[in-house]
């Protein structure tokens, strides 16, 4: 058995993970046997599949050993866009892995999927800049929210209050250098 010699739940999980990574092959187009369930076909028939096959198989094997487990589906990090300081996450970054409950450690992540051998996509500086423009367009034009409008209004209110206080301070001085004619005062107020 794959887990012979394993003492604890963590070692059992590591043994299953290592077995799936080394004894099965990654493909996006697995051949399926019509007579078997997808899990049985993956484990005992074709022995090939993609991340969902691996995660499902590992979770089922852990549960058969009495170890609580769950399948997690999400996205890998994606590609870092240094121009805008954010990650570009694409559909190709979708992934499934497993979490097993290990005593005294809690939920621990395991990824039984072997490396796919697919060359990673490296965007050019031009495509990173275009993605940044697209992101900013979506964020500041398409998704411009009431909260954004409120923040801008509060900034203008703060700037206006500061200018008004400066003007009031300048006008309150009684020295001849700071005296303003009513016409000049009206022009400043109109500009504000």
């Amino acid at each position: 058995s794959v887990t012979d010699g394993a003492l604890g739940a963590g070692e059992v999980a590591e043994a299953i993970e290592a077995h799936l990574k080394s004894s099965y092959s990654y493909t996006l187009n697995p051949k399926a046997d019509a007579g078997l369930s997808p899990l049985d076909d993956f484990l005992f028939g074709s022995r090939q599949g993609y991340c969902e096959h691996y995660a499902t198989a590992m979770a089922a094997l852990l549960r058969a050993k009495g170890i609580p487990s769950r399948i997690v589906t999400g996205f890998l990090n994606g590609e870092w866009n240094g121009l805008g300081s954010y990650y570009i996450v694409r559909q190709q970054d979708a992934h499934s892995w497993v979490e097993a409950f290990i005593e005294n450690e809690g939920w621990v992540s395991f990824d039984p999927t072997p490396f796919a051998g697919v060359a990673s996509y490296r965007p050019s500086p031009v495509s990173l800049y275009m993605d940044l423009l697209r992101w900013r367009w979506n964020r500041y034009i398409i998704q411009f929210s009431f909260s954004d409008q409120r923040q801008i209004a509060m900034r203008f209110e703060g700037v206006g209050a500061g200018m008004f206080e400066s003007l009031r301070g300048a006008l309150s001085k009684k020295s001849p250098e700071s005296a303003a004619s009513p016409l000049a005062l009206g022009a400043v107020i109109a500009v504000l």
Side-chain angles (χ1 to χ4, degrees):
S1 165
V2 172
T3 59
D4 285 346
L7 300 174
E11 291 174 334
V12 169
E14 288 170 359
I16 292 171
E17 177 186 44
H19 174 72
L20 291 171
K21 279 186 171 183
S22 65
S23 301
Y24 293 75
S25 61
Y26 184 89
T27 180
L28 290 174
N29 301 308
K31 295 176 180 71
D33 183 348
L36 296 174
S37 72
L39 180 58
D40 288 342
D41 183 46
F42 174 74
L43 286 172
F44 309 114
S46 70
R47 300 173 71 93
Q48 57 179 287
Y50 44 90
C51 60
E52 291 173 348
H53 292 100
Y54 287 91
T56 301
M58 184 169 180
L61 293 170
L62 287 169
R63 289 174 184 173
K65 288 288 193 175
I67 301 169
S69 62
R70 58 189 178 195
I71 298 172
V72 182
T73 303
F75 290 86
L76 299 174
N77 281 347
E79 198 72 38
W80 178 252
N81 186 336
L83 297 172
S85 299
Y86 64 92
Y87 283 99
I88 302 169
V89 180
R90 299 178 186 85
Q91 183 60 38
Q92 70 190 27
D93 298 317
H95 191 57
S96 293
W97 60 96
V98 175
E99 287 184 349
F101 189 81
I102 309 298
E103 188 96 17
N104 298 325
E105 292 183 48
W107 290 100
V108 178
S109 294
F110 295 92
D111 189 355
T113 306
F115 176 68
V118 179
S120 64
Y121 170 72
R122 288 278 184 215
S124 70
V126 172
S127 65
L128 289 175
Y129 184 73
M130 294 303 292
D131 190 81
L132 175 63
L133 289 176
R134 187 173 26 258
W135 179 82
R136 286 192 173 163
W137 174 264
N138 283 330
R139 171 62 185 96
Y140 296 112
I141 304 299
I142 304 298
Q143 297 176 357
F144 191 69
S145 67
F146 177 73
S147 176
D148 296 326
Q149 294 172 28
R150 186 171 171 259
Q151 285 179 352
I152 289 173
M154 289 175 69
R155 273 191 230 137
F156 280 121
E157 180 183 18
V159 169
M163 293 172 92
F164 184 72
E165 286 299 317
S166 297
L167 182 61
R168 181 197 274 172
L171 292 175
S172 67
K173 291 181 182 176
K174 298 295 183 192
S175 67
E177 298 89 32
S178 66
S181 70
L183 184 59
L185 179 59
V188 170
I189 291 175
V191 168
L192 287 176

